[in-house]
């Protein structure tokens, strides 16, 4: 297995490595993963939260108090709460999305999992996600965790990215291919 230092880099990488190692040593990987999923959800849905993280207008103390209040309201564990507090104190909250992605990658590597980024025209059902994960597991040879997003512009089909490989079965891609073929003929 690759060391955690080789999987991460930069400011977010240093925090991600530290958070991961504390969670792994304390056998708290599931809790940390759950907490980061909660933080990611609030980051995606709350413009106020994103503004607190990124704005230089807020002092370290204001950011720290806001993060502490949010963590308490969300019921986050002490490991993630303390990490966010340290990041607020050091004015590093702006790297939070990168930290989440890097911690997820470290946890997946620890578990022997691979993450597949799946974009579909409509939300995948639980049964579809399980079937896709099983199919990808046969191809990749490891457990596959699906990170699904929706992009209605695909019209239909899927775009699946696993590592450096990408499979695009979307109708949008097929139409673009057809359009290119028609240009070559004319």
């Amino acid at each position: 297995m690759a060391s955690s230092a080789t999987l991460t880099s930069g400011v977010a990488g240093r925090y991600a490595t530290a958070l991961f190692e504390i969670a792994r040593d304390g056998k708290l990987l599931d809790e940390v993963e759950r907490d980061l999923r909660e933080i990611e959800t609030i980051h995606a849905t709350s413009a106020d939260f994103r503004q607190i993280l990124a704005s230089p207008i807020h002092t370290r103390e204001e950011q720290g108090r806001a993060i502490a209040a949010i963590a308490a309201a969300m019921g986050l564990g002490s490991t993630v709460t303390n990490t966010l507090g340290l990041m607020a104190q050091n004015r590093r909250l702006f790297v939070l999305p990168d930290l989440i992605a890097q911690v997820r990658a470290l946890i997946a590597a620890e578990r022997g999992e691979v993450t597949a980024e799946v974009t579909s025209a409509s939300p995948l059902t639980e049964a579809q996600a399980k079937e896709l994960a099983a199919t990808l597991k046969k191809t990749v040879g490891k457990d596959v965790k699906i990170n699904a997003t929706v992009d209605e512009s695909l019209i239909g089909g899927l775009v699946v990215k696993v590592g450096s490989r990408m499979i695009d079965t979307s109708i949008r891609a097929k139409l673009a291919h057809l359009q290119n073929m028609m240009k070559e003929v004319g």
Side-chain angles (χ1 to χ4, degrees), residues 125-144:
T125 66
E126 192 173 322
Q128 290 171 326
K130 284 182 179 180
E131 184 177 340
L132 180 59
T135 303
L136 291 172
K137 181 178 181 176
K138 291 176 189 173
T139 304
V140 177
K142 294 182 177 182
D143 287 334
V144 177

Side-chain angles (χ1 to χ4, degrees), residues 77-109:
S78 63
T79 306
V80 170
T81 300
N82 292 341
T83 301
L84 294 176
L86 179 64
M87 291 173 70
Q89 186 61 38
N90 292 333
R91 308 238 353 129
R92 298 290 188 254
L93 286 172
F94 64 93
V95 302
L96 187 58
D98 291 335
L99 170 125
I100 292 170
Q102 291 186 32
V103 170
R104 278 193 170 152
L106 290 167
I107 291 172

